Coordinates of all heavy atoms in Angstrom, one line a residue:
M1 N 78.5 -85.6 119.8 CA 79.1 -86.5 120.8 C 80.5 -86.8 120.1 O 80.6 -87.2 119.0 CB 78.2 -87.7 120.9 CG 78.5 -88.5 122.1 SD 77.3 -89.8 122.4 CE 78.0 -91.2 121.5
G2 N 81.6 -86.8 121.1 CA 82.9 -87.1 120.6 C 83.2 -88.6 120.7 O 82.3 -89.5 121.0
L3 N 84.4 -89.0 120.8 CA 85.0 -90.3 121.0 C 84.7 -90.8 122.5 O 84.8 -90.0 123.4 CB 86.4 -90.4 120.7 CG 86.8 -90.1 119.3 CD1 88.3 -90.0 119.2 CD2 86.3 -91.1 118.3
Q4 N 84.4 -92.0 122.6 CA 84.3 -92.7 123.9 C 85.2 -93.9 124.0 O 85.2 -94.7 123.0 CB 82.9 -93.1 124.3 CG 81.9 -92.0 124.6 CD 80.6 -92.7 125.0 OE1 80.0 -93.4 124.1 NE2 80.1 -92.4 126.2
L5 N 86.0 -94.0 125.0 CA 86.9 -95.2 125.1 C 86.5 -96.0 126.4 O 86.5 -95.5 127.5 CB 88.4 -94.9 125.3 CG 89.3 -96.0 125.6 CD1 89.3 -96.9 124.3 CD2 90.7 -95.4 125.9
Y6 N 86.0 -97.3 126.1 CA 85.7 -98.1 127.2 C 87.0 -98.9 127.5 O 87.5 -99.5 126.7 CB 84.4 -99.1 126.8 CG 83.2 -98.3 126.9 CD1 82.9 -97.5 125.8 CD2 82.3 -98.6 127.9 CE1 81.6 -96.8 125.8 CE2 81.0 -98.0 127.8 CZ 80.7 -97.1 126.8 OH 79.5 -96.4 126.8
T7 N 87.4 -98.9 128.8 CA 88.8 -99.5 129.1 C 88.9 -99.8 130.5 O 87.9 -99.5 131.4 CB 89.9 -98.5 128.7 OG1 91.1 -99.2 128.8 CG2 89.9 -97.2 129.4
N8 N 89.9 -100.4 130.9 CA 90.3 -100.6 132.3 C 91.7 -100.1 132.6 O 92.5 -100.4 131.7 CB 90.1 -102.1 132.7 CG 90.4 -102.3 134.2 OD1 91.5 -102.4 134.6 ND2 89.4 -102.5 135.0
K9 N 92.0 -99.5 133.7 CA 93.3 -99.1 133.9 C 94.3 -100.0 133.8 O 95.6 -99.7 133.6 CB 93.4 -98.1 135.2 CG 93.1 -98.9 136.4 CD 93.0 -98.1 137.6 CE 92.8 -98.6 138.9 NZ 91.5 -99.5 138.9
E10 N 94.0 -101.3 134.0 CA 95.1 -102.5 134.1 C 94.7 -103.3 132.9 O 94.4 -104.6 133.0 CB 94.9 -103.2 135.4 CG 95.4 -102.4 136.5 CD 95.3 -103.1 137.9 OE1 94.7 -104.2 137.9 OE2 95.7 -102.5 138.8
S11 N 94.7 -102.7 131.7 CA 94.5 -103.4 130.4 C 95.3 -102.7 129.3 O 95.8 -101.7 129.4 CB 93.0 -103.3 130.0 OG 92.6 -102.0 129.6
R12 N 95.2 -103.4 128.2 CA 95.8 -103.0 126.9 C 95.2 -101.7 126.4 O 95.7 -101.1 125.5 CB 95.9 -104.0 125.9 CG 94.6 -104.5 125.3 CD 94.7 -105.7 124.4 NE 94.9 -106.9 125.4 CZ 95.3 -108.1 125.0 NH1 95.4 -108.3 123.6 NH2 95.5 -109.0 125.8
G13 N 94.1 -101.3 127.1 CA 93.5 -100.1 126.7 C 94.3 -98.9 126.9 O 94.2 -97.8 126.3
V14 N 95.4 -99.0 127.8 CA 96.3 -98.0 128.0 C 97.0 -97.6 126.7 O 97.5 -96.5 126.5 CB 97.3 -98.3 129.1 CG1 96.7 -98.3 130.4 CG2 98.3 -99.4 128.7
V15 N 97.2 -98.5 125.7 CA 97.9 -98.2 124.4 C 96.9 -97.2 123.7 O 97.6 -96.3 123.1 CB 98.0 -99.5 123.7 CG1 98.6 -99.2 122.3 CG2 98.9 -100.5 124.4
V16 N 95.7 -97.3 123.8 CA 94.8 -96.4 123.1 C 94.9 -95.0 123.7 O 95.0 -94.0 123.1 CB 93.3 -96.8 123.1 CG1 92.4 -95.9 122.3 CG2 93.2 -98.3 122.4
E17 N 95.0 -95.0 125.1 CA 95.2 -93.8 125.8 C 96.5 -93.1 125.4 O 96.4 -91.8 125.2 CB 95.1 -94.0 127.3 CG 93.6 -94.5 127.7 CD 93.5 -94.6 129.2 OE1 93.3 -93.5 129.8 OE2 93.5 -95.7 129.8
W18 N 97.5 -93.8 125.2 CA 98.7 -93.3 124.8 C 98.6 -92.7 123.4 O 99.0 -91.6 123.0 CB 99.9 -94.3 124.8 CG 101.0 -94.0 124.0 CD1 102.0 -93.2 124.3 CD2 101.3 -94.5 122.6 NE1 102.9 -93.1 123.2 CE2 102.4 -94.0 122.2 CE3 100.6 -95.5 121.8 CZ2 103.1 -94.3 120.9 CZ3 101.2 -95.8 120.6 CH2 102.4 -95.2 120.2
L19 N 97.9 -93.4 122.5 CA 97.7 -93.0 121.1 C 96.9 -91.7 121.1 O 97.2 -90.8 120.3 CB 97.1 -94.1 120.3 CG 96.9 -93.8 118.8 CD1 98.2 -93.5 118.1 CD2 96.3 -95.0 118.1
L20 N 95.9 -91.6 121.9 CA 95.0 -90.4 121.9 C 95.9 -89.3 122.4 O 95.7 -88.2 121.9 CB 93.9 -90.7 122.9 CG 92.8 -91.6 122.3 CD1 91.9 -92.1 123.5 CD2 92.0 -90.9 121.2
I21 N 96.7 -89.4 123.4 CA 97.7 -88.3 123.8 C 98.6 -87.9 122.6 O 98.7 -86.8 122.3 CB 98.5 -88.8 125.0 CG1 97.7 -88.9 126.2 CG2 99.6 -87.8 125.2 CD1 98.2 -89.7 127.5
E22 N 99.2 -88.9 121.9 CA 100.0 -88.6 120.8 C 99.2 -87.8 119.7 O 99.7 -86.8 119.0 CB 100.5 -89.9 120.2 CG 101.5 -90.6 120.9 CD 102.9 -89.9 121.0 OE1 103.2 -89.3 120.0 OE2 103.6 -89.9 122.0
L23 N 97.9 -88.1 119.5 CA 97.1 -87.5 118.6 C 96.6 -86.1 119.0 O 96.2 -85.3 118.2 CB 95.9 -88.3 118.1 CG 96.1 -89.6 117.3 CD1 95.0 -90.5 117.3 CD2 96.6 -89.3 115.9
G24 N 96.6 -86.0 120.3 CA 96.1 -84.7 121.0 C 94.6 -84.7 120.9 O 94.0 -83.6 120.6
I25 N 93.9 -85.8 120.9 CA 92.5 -86.0 120.8 C 91.8 -86.1 122.2 O 92.2 -86.9 122.9 CB 92.2 -87.1 119.8 CG1 92.8 -86.9 118.5 CG2 90.7 -87.4 119.7 CD1 92.4 -85.7 117.7
E26 N 90.7 -85.3 122.4 CA 89.9 -85.5 123.5 C 89.1 -86.8 123.4 O 88.5 -87.0 122.2 CB 88.9 -84.3 123.6 CG 89.6 -83.1 123.9 CD 90.0 -82.8 125.3 OE1 89.3 -83.3 126.2 OE2 91.1 -82.3 125.6
C27 N 88.8 -87.5 124.5 CA 88.1 -88.7 124.4 C 87.5 -88.9 125.8 O 88.2 -88.9 126.7 CB 89.0 -89.9 124.0 SG 88.1 -91.4 123.9
E28 N 86.2 -89.2 125.8 CA 85.6 -89.6 127.1 C 86.1 -91.0 127.5 O 86.0 -91.9 126.6 CB 84.1 -89.6 127.0 CG 83.4 -89.9 128.3 CD 81.9 -90.1 128.2 OE1 81.3 -89.8 127.2 OE2 81.3 -90.7 129.1
R29 N 86.6 -91.2 128.7 CA 87.0 -92.5 129.2 C 86.0 -93.1 130.1 O 85.5 -92.4 131.1 CB 88.3 -92.3 130.0 CG 89.1 -93.4 130.3 CD 90.3 -93.1 131.2 NE 91.1 -94.3 131.5 CZ 90.7 -95.1 132.4 NH1 89.6 -95.0 133.0 NH2 91.5 -96.2 132.6
V30 N 85.6 -94.3 129.7 CA 84.7 -95.0 130.6 C 85.3 -96.3 131.2 O 85.8 -97.1 130.5 CB 83.4 -95.5 129.8 CG1 82.4 -96.2 130.6 CG2 82.8 -94.2 129.0
E31 N 85.5 -96.2 132.5 CA 86.1 -97.4 133.2 C 85.2 -98.5 133.3 O 84.1 -98.5 133.7 CB 86.6 -97.0 134.6 CG 87.4 -98.1 135.3 CD 88.9 -98.2 134.9 OE1 89.3 -97.3 134.1 OE2 89.6 -99.1 135.3
V32 N 85.6 -99.7 132.8 CA 84.8 -100.9 132.8 C 85.5 -102.0 133.7 O 86.7 -102.1 133.6 CB 84.6 -101.5 131.4 CG1 83.6 -102.6 131.4 CG2 84.2 -100.5 130.4
E33 N 84.8 -102.6 134.6 CA 85.5 -103.6 135.6 C 85.4 -105.0 135.1 O 84.5 -105.4 134.5 CB 84.7 -103.5 136.9 CG 84.7 -102.1 137.5 CD 86.2 -101.6 137.8 OE1 87.1 -102.4 138.0 OE2 86.3 -100.4 137.7
Y34 N 86.6 -105.7 135.3 CA 86.7 -107.1 134.9 C 85.6 -107.9 135.7 O 85.2 -107.6 136.8 CB 88.0 -107.6 135.4 CG 89.2 -107.2 134.5 CD1 89.9 -106.1 134.8 CD2 89.5 -107.8 133.3 CE1 91.0 -105.7 134.0 CE2 90.5 -107.5 132.5 CZ 91.2 -106.3 132.8 OH 92.3 -106.0 132.1
H35 N 85.1 -108.9 135.0 CA 84.1 -109.9 135.5 C 82.7 -109.3 135.8 O 81.8 -110.0 136.0 CB 84.7 -110.5 136.8 CG 86.1 -111.0 136.8 ND1 86.5 -112.0 135.8 CD2 87.1 -110.6 137.3 CE1 87.7 -112.2 136.0 NE2 88.2 -111.4 136.9
T36 N 82.6 -108.0 135.9 CA 81.2 -107.5 136.2 C 80.6 -106.7 135.1 O 80.0 -107.2 134.2 CB 81.3 -106.7 137.5 OG1 82.3 -105.7 137.5 CG2 81.6 -107.6 138.7
S37 N 81.0 -105.4 135.1 CA 80.5 -104.6 133.9 C 80.9 -104.9 132.6 O 80.3 -104.8 131.5 CB 80.7 -103.1 134.3 OG 82.0 -102.8 134.6
M38 N 82.1 -105.6 132.5 CA 82.7 -106.1 131.3 C 81.9 -107.2 130.6 O 82.0 -107.5 129.5 CB 84.0 -106.5 131.4 CG 85.1 -105.9 130.3 SD 86.8 -106.5 130.7 CE 87.3 -105.3 131.7
K39 N 81.1 -107.8 131.5 CA 80.3 -109.0 131.0 C 78.8 -108.7 131.1 O 78.0 -109.6 130.9 CB 80.6 -110.3 131.9 CG 82.1 -110.6 132.0 CD 82.7 -111.0 130.7 CE 84.1 -111.2 130.9 NZ 84.9 -111.3 129.6
S40 N 78.5 -107.5 131.3 CA 77.0 -107.0 131.4 C 76.4 -107.1 130.0 O 77.0 -107.0 129.0 CB 76.9 -105.7 132.0 OG 77.3 -104.7 131.0
P41 N 75.0 -107.3 130.0 CA 74.3 -107.4 128.6 C 74.6 -106.2 127.8 O 74.7 -106.3 126.6 CB 72.9 -107.6 129.1 CG 72.9 -108.1 130.3 CD 74.2 -107.7 131.1
E42 N 74.6 -105.0 128.5 CA 74.7 -103.8 127.8 C 76.1 -103.7 127.2 O 76.3 -103.3 126.0 CB 74.6 -102.5 128.7 CG 73.3 -102.4 129.4 CD 73.0 -103.4 130.5 OE1 74.0 -103.8 131.2 OE2 71.8 -103.6 130.8
Y43 N 77.2 -104.1 127.9 CA 78.5 -104.1 127.4 C 78.8 -105.1 126.3 O 79.4 -104.8 125.3 CB 79.5 -104.2 128.5 CG 80.9 -103.9 128.0 CD1 81.4 -102.6 127.7 CD2 81.8 -105.0 127.7 CE1 82.7 -102.3 127.3 CE2 83.1 -104.7 127.2 CZ 83.5 -103.4 127.0 OH 84.7 -103.1 126.5
L44 N 78.1 -106.2 126.5 CA 78.3 -107.3 125.4 C 77.7 -106.9 124.1 O 78.1 -107.5 123.0 CB 77.7 -108.6 125.9 CG 78.4 -109.2 127.1 CD1 77.6 -110.5 127.5 CD2 79.8 -109.6 126.8
K45 N 76.8 -105.9 124.1 CA 76.3 -105.4 122.8 C 77.4 -104.5 122.1 O 77.4 -104.5 120.8 CB 75.1 -104.5 123.0 CG 73.9 -105.2 123.5 CD 72.6 -104.2 123.5 CE 71.6 -105.0 124.3 NZ 70.6 -104.0 124.9
L46 N 78.4 -104.0 122.9 CA 79.5 -103.3 122.3 C 80.5 -104.2 121.9 O 81.1 -104.0 120.7 CB 80.0 -102.3 123.3 CG 79.0 -101.2 123.8 CD1 79.7 -100.2 124.8 CD2 78.5 -100.3 122.7
N47 N 80.8 -105.2 122.7 CA 81.9 -106.2 122.4 C 81.4 -107.5 122.9 O 81.5 -107.8 124.0 CB 83.2 -105.8 123.1 CG 84.4 -106.8 122.8 OD1 84.1 -107.9 122.1 ND2 85.6 -106.4 123.1
P48 N 81.0 -108.3 122.0 CA 80.4 -109.6 122.2 C 81.4 -110.6 123.0 O 81.1 -111.6 123.5 CB 79.9 -110.2 121.0 CG 80.7 -109.4 119.9 CD 81.0 -108.1 120.5
F49 N 82.7 -110.1 123.1 CA 83.8 -110.9 123.7 C 83.9 -110.5 125.1 O 84.6 -111.1 126.0 CB 85.1 -110.9 123.0 CG 85.1 -111.5 121.6 CD1 85.0 -110.7 120.5 CD2 85.1 -112.9 121.5 CE1 85.0 -111.3 119.2 CE2 85.1 -113.4 120.1 CZ 84.9 -112.6 119.0
G50 N 83.3 -109.4 125.5 CA 83.3 -108.9 126.9 C 84.7 -108.5 127.3 O 85.1 -108.7 128.4
K51 N 85.4 -107.7 126.4 CA 86.7 -107.5 126.7 C 86.9 -105.9 126.4 O 86.2 -105.3 125.7 CB 87.7 -108.2 125.9 CG 87.8 -109.7 126.2 CD 88.7 -110.4 125.1 CE 88.7 -111.9 125.4 NZ 89.6 -112.3 126.5
V52 N 88.0 -105.4 126.9 CA 88.4 -104.0 126.6 C 89.7 -104.0 125.9 O 90.4 -105.1 125.9 CB 88.6 -103.2 127.9 CG1 87.3 -102.9 128.5 CG2 89.5 -103.7 128.8
P53 N 89.9 -103.0 125.0 CA 89.3 -101.7 124.9 C 88.1 -101.8 123.8 O 88.2 -102.7 122.9 CB 90.3 -100.8 124.4 CG 91.3 -101.6 123.7 CD 91.3 -103.0 124.3
V54 N 87.2 -100.8 123.9 CA 86.2 -100.6 122.8 C 86.2 -99.1 122.6 O 86.2 -98.3 123.6 CB 84.8 -101.0 123.2 CG1 83.7 -100.6 122.3 CG2 84.7 -102.5 123.4
L55 N 86.3 -98.7 121.4 CA 86.2 -97.3 121.0 C 84.8 -97.0 120.3 O 84.4 -97.8 119.4 CB 87.3 -96.9 120.1 CG 87.4 -95.4 119.7 CD1 88.0 -94.6 120.8 CD2 88.2 -95.1 118.4
I56 N 84.2 -96.0 120.7 CA 83.0 -95.5 120.0 C 83.1 -94.2 119.4 O 83.6 -93.3 120.1 CB 81.7 -95.5 121.0 CG1 81.6 -97.0 121.5 CG2 80.5 -95.1 120.3 CD1 80.5 -97.2 122.4
D57 N 82.8 -94.1 118.1 CA 82.9 -92.9 117.4 C 81.5 -92.7 116.8 O 81.2 -93.3 115.7 CB 84.0 -92.9 116.3 CG 84.1 -91.6 115.6 OD1 83.6 -90.6 116.1 OD2 84.9 -91.6 114.6
E58 N 80.6 -91.9 117.4 CA 79.2 -91.7 117.0 C 78.6 -93.1 116.8 O 78.4 -93.7 117.9 CB 79.2 -91.1 115.6 CG 79.9 -89.7 115.6 CD 79.0 -88.6 116.3 OE1 77.8 -88.8 116.6 OE2 79.6 -87.5 116.8
H59 N 78.4 -93.6 115.6 CA 77.6 -94.9 115.6 C 78.5 -96.0 115.1 O 78.1 -97.2 114.9 CB 76.5 -94.8 114.4 CG 75.5 -93.7 114.7 ND1 74.6 -93.8 115.8 CD2 75.2 -92.5 114.1 CE1 73.9 -92.8 115.9 NE2 74.2 -92.0 114.9
V60 N 79.8 -95.7 115.2 CA 80.9 -96.7 114.8 C 81.4 -97.2 116.2 O 81.8 -96.5 117.0 CB 82.0 -96.1 114.1 CG1 83.0 -97.3 113.7 CG2 81.5 -95.5 112.7
V61 N 81.3 -98.7 116.3 CA 81.8 -99.3 117.5 C 83.0 -100.2 117.0 O 82.8 -101.0 116.1 CB 80.7 -100.1 118.2 CG1 81.3 -100.9 119.4 CG2 79.5 -99.3 118.5
I62 N 84.1 -100.0 117.7 CA 85.3 -100.8 117.3 C 85.9 -101.5 118.5 O 86.2 -100.9 119.5 CB 86.5 -99.9 116.6 CG1 85.9 -98.9 115.6 CG2 87.6 -100.7 116.1 CD1 86.4 -97.6 115.7
Y63 N 86.2 -102.7 118.3 CA 87.0 -103.5 119.4 C 88.2 -104.2 118.7 O 88.1 -104.3 117.4 CB 86.1 -104.5 120.2 CG 85.2 -105.4 119.4 CD1 85.8 -106.6 119.1 CD2 84.0 -105.2 119.1 CE1 85.0 -107.5 118.3 CE2 83.2 -106.1 118.4 CZ 83.7 -107.3 118.1 OH 83.0 -108.1 117.3
E64 N 89.1 -104.6 119.5 CA 90.4 -105.1 119.0 C 91.3 -104.0 119.0 O 91.1 -103.1 118.2 CB 90.3 -105.9 117.6 CG 89.6 -107.2 117.7 CD 90.4 -108.2 118.6 OE1 91.6 -108.2 118.6 OE2 89.8 -109.0 119.3
L65 N 92.3 -104.0 119.8 CA 93.3 -103.0 119.9 C 93.8 -102.5 118.7 O 93.9 -101.3 118.4 CB 94.4 -103.4 120.9 CG 95.6 -102.5 121.1 CD1 95.1 -101.1 121.7 CD2 96.6 -103.1 122.0
A66 N 94.3 -103.5 117.8 CA 95.0 -103.1 116.6 C 94.0 -102.3 115.6 O 94.4 -101.4 114.9 CB 95.6 -104.3 115.9
A67 N 92.8 -102.8 115.6 CA 91.7 -102.2 114.7 C 91.4 -100.7 115.3 O 91.3 -99.8 114.4 CB 90.5 -103.0 114.8
I68 N 91.5 -100.5 116.5 CA 91.2 -99.2 117.1 C 92.4 -98.3 116.8 O 92.1 -97.2 116.4 CB 91.0 -99.3 118.7 CG1 89.7 -100.0 119.0 CG2 91.1 -97.9 119.3 CD1 89.6 -100.4 120.5
C69 N 93.5 -98.7 116.9 CA 94.8 -97.9 116.6 C 94.7 -97.6 115.0 O 95.0 -96.4 114.7 CB 96.0 -98.7 116.9 SG 96.3 -98.8 118.7
A70 N 94.3 -98.6 114.1 CA 94.3 -98.3 112.8 C 93.3 -97.3 112.5 O 93.4 -96.4 111.6 CB 94.1 -99.6 112.0
Y71 N 92.1 -97.4 113.1 CA 91.0 -96.6 112.9 C 91.4 -95.1 113.2 O 91.1 -94.2 112.5 CB 89.8 -97.0 113.7 CG 88.5 -96.1 113.6 CD1 87.6 -96.3 112.6 CD2 88.3 -95.0 114.5 CE1 86.5 -95.5 112.5 CE2 87.2 -94.2 114.3 CZ 86.4 -94.5 113.3 OH 85.2 -93.6 113.2
L72 N 92.0 -94.9 114.4 CA 92.4 -93.6 114.8 C 93.5 -92.9 114.0 O 93.4 -91.8 113.6 CB 92.8 -93.6 116.2 CG 91.8 -93.9 117.4 CD1 92.5 -94.0 118.7 CD2 90.8 -92.6 117.3
A73 N 94.4 -93.8 113.4 CA 95.4 -93.2 112.6 C 94.8 -92.8 111.3 O 95.1 -91.7 110.7 CB 96.5 -94.3 112.3
D74 N 93.8 -93.5 110.7 CA 93.0 -93.3 109.6 C 92.2 -91.9 109.8 O 92.0 -91.1 108.9 CB 92.2 -94.4 109.0 CG 93.1 -95.5 108.4 OD1 94.3 -95.2 108.1 OD2 92.5 -96.6 108.3
K75 N 91.6 -91.8 110.9 CA 90.7 -90.7 111.1 C 91.3 -89.4 111.2 O 90.7 -88.4 110.9 CB 89.9 -91.0 112.5 CG 88.8 -90.0 112.7 CD 88.0 -90.4 114.0 CE 87.1 -89.2 114.4 NZ 86.0 -89.0 113.6
F76 N 92.6 -89.4 111.7 CA 93.4 -88.2 111.7 C 94.5 -88.3 110.9 O 95.8 -88.3 111.4 CB 93.8 -88.0 113.2 CG 92.5 -87.9 114.1 CD1 92.1 -89.0 114.9 CD2 91.7 -86.7 114.2 CE1 91.0 -89.0 115.7 CE2 90.6 -86.7 115.0 CZ 90.2 -87.7 115.7
P77 N 94.4 -88.3 109.5 CA 95.6 -88.6 108.6 C 96.7 -87.4 108.8 O 97.8 -87.6 108.5 CB 95.0 -88.5 107.3 CG 93.7 -87.9 107.4 CD 93.3 -88.2 108.8
E78 N 96.2 -86.1 109.2 CA 97.1 -85.0 109.3 C 98.1 -85.2 110.5 O 99.2 -84.6 110.4 CB 96.3 -83.7 109.6 CG 95.7 -83.6 111.0 CD 94.3 -84.5 111.1 OE1 93.9 -85.1 110.2 OE2 93.7 -84.2 112.2
K79 N 98.0 -86.2 111.3 CA 98.9 -86.5 112.4 C 100.0 -87.5 111.8 O 101.0 -87.8 112.5 CB 98.3 -87.2 113.5 CG 97.2 -86.4 114.0 CD 97.5 -85.2 114.8 CE 96.4 -84.5 115.4 NZ 96.7 -83.3 116.2
N80 N 99.9 -88.0 110.6 CA 101.0 -88.8 110.0 C 101.3 -90.0 110.8 O 102.5 -90.3 110.9 CB 102.1 -88.0 109.7 CG 101.9 -87.0 108.6 OD1 101.2 -87.4 107.6 ND2 102.3 -85.7 108.9
L81 N 100.5 -90.8 111.4 CA 100.7 -91.9 112.1 C 100.7 -93.2 111.4 O 101.2 -94.2 111.9 CB 99.8 -92.0 113.4 CG 100.2 -91.1 114.5 CD1 99.2 -91.4 115.7 CD2 101.6 -91.3 115.0
A82 N 100.2 -93.1 110.1 CA 100.1 -94.3 109.2 C 100.2 -93.8 107.8 O 99.7 -92.8 107.5 CB 98.9 -95.1 109.5
P83 N 100.7 -94.7 107.0 CA 100.7 -94.3 105.5 C 99.3 -94.1 105.0 O 98.4 -94.9 105.6 CB 101.4 -95.4 104.8 CG 102.2 -96.1 105.9 CD 101.5 -95.9 107.2
A84 N 99.0 -93.4 104.1 CA 97.7 -93.1 103.5 C 97.1 -94.4 102.9 O 97.8 -95.3 102.4 CB 97.6 -92.0 102.5
L85 N 95.8 -94.5 102.9 CA 95.1 -95.6 102.2 C 95.5 -95.6 100.8 O 95.6 -94.5 100.2 CB 93.7 -95.4 102.3 CG 93.0 -95.7 103.7 CD1 91.5 -95.3 103.7 CD2 93.2 -97.2 104.1
G86 N 95.9 -96.7 100.3 CA 96.3 -96.7 98.8 C 97.8 -96.5 98.6 O 98.4 -96.9 97.6
D87 N 98.6 -96.1 99.7 CA 99.9 -95.9 99.6 C 100.6 -97.4 99.8 O 100.3 -98.0 100.8 CB 100.5 -95.0 100.8 CG 101.9 -94.8 100.8 OD1 102.6 -95.6 100.3 OD2 102.3 -93.7 101.3
P88 N 101.5 -97.8 98.8 CA 102.1 -99.2 99.0 C 102.8 -99.3 100.3 O 102.9 -100.5 100.7 CB 103.0 -99.2 97.8 CG 102.6 -98.1 96.8 CD 102.0 -97.0 97.7
K89 N 103.3 -98.4 100.9 CA 104.0 -98.4 102.1 C 103.0 -99.1 103.2 O 103.5 -99.7 104.2 CB 104.5 -97.2 102.7 CG 105.7 -96.6 101.9 CD 106.2 -95.4 102.6 CE 107.1 -94.6 101.7 NZ 107.2 -93.2 101.9
R90 N 101.8 -98.8 103.1 CA 100.8 -99.3 104.0 C 100.7 -100.8 104.0 O 100.6 -101.5 105.1 CB 99.4 -98.7 103.7 CG 98.4 -98.9 104.8 CD 97.1 -98.2 104.5 NE 96.2 -98.5 105.4 CZ 95.9 -97.8 106.4 NH1 96.5 -96.6 106.6 NH2 95.0 -98.2 107.3
Ligands
LIG101 N1 92.3 -109.4 121.0 C1 91.8 -108.4 121.9 C2 92.0 -108.8 123.3 C3 91.4 -107.9 124.4 C4 91.6 -108.4 125.8 O1 92.0 -109.6 126.0 N2 91.5 -107.6 126.8 C5 91.6 -107.9 128.1 C6 92.3 -106.8 128.9 S1 94.0 -106.5 128.3 C7 90.3 -108.2 128.7 O2 89.4 -107.4 128.4 N3 90.1 -109.2 129.5 C8 88.8 -109.5 130.1 C9 88.4 -110.9 130.0 O3 89.0 -111.6 129.2 O4 87.4 -111.2 130.7 C10 92.3 -106.9 121.6 O5 93.6 -106.9 121.1 O6 91.7 -106.0 121.9

């Protein structure tokens, strides 16, 4: 199973979509609606704040835009989007 992005087209989730394009990475996109599916019990298990975006990578669930961007940059170091872990520039 690959990456899954829970997002809404009118949200900051578009930043993750842009980053995925920059990385050239395939990701299943799951549209979540404000006020309804975003607040469902199933979705609140992914993000207890009931917000988008959420990225799922196998058993890893990440919410918070900055955390998702950092995670993706670290997952694909060959794309050089962030200094390596341990690099003082980081
Ligand atoms: N600090 C969070 C904020 C996420 C957030 O506020 N997302 C908005 C869309 S841009 C949202 O899902 N709002 C739904 C709500 O508050 O009910 C992040 O950076 O990911």
Side-chain angles (χ1 to χ4, degrees):
M1 196 170 95
L3 297 170
Q4 280 183 307
L5 176 66
Y6 287 75
T7 188
N8 181 284
K9 61 184 179 304
E10 294 176 356
S11 78
R12 67 193 73 193
V14 296
V15 175
V16 182
E17 295 187 73
W18 161 78
L19 184 57
L20 288 163
I21 290 168
E22 289 290 323
L23 290 166
I25 299 301
E26 295 282 320
C27 181
E28 180 189 348
R29 189 182 181 288
V30 182
E31 184 80 7
V32 193
E33 299 302 330
Y34 286 98
H35 311 298
T36 55
S37 46
M38 221 179 274
K39 307 299 178 193
S40 70
E42 296 77 24
Y43 189 74
L44 292 175
K45 286 181 196 159
L46 300 179
N47 182 349
F49 296 103
K51 293 172 183 282
V52 289
V54 170
L55 183 78
I56 300 184
D57 184 10
E58 301 286 342
H59 301 295
V60 181
V61 179
I62 311 143
Y63 53 86
E64 287 297 320
L65 175 62
I68 293 170
C69 292
Y71 179 87
L72 287 171
D74 287 346
K75 184 174 171 72
F76 302 101
E78 71 279 9
K79 305 289 183 176
N80 292 316
L81 285 182
L85 289 172
D87 183 331
K89 287 183 193 151
R90 193 177 174 92

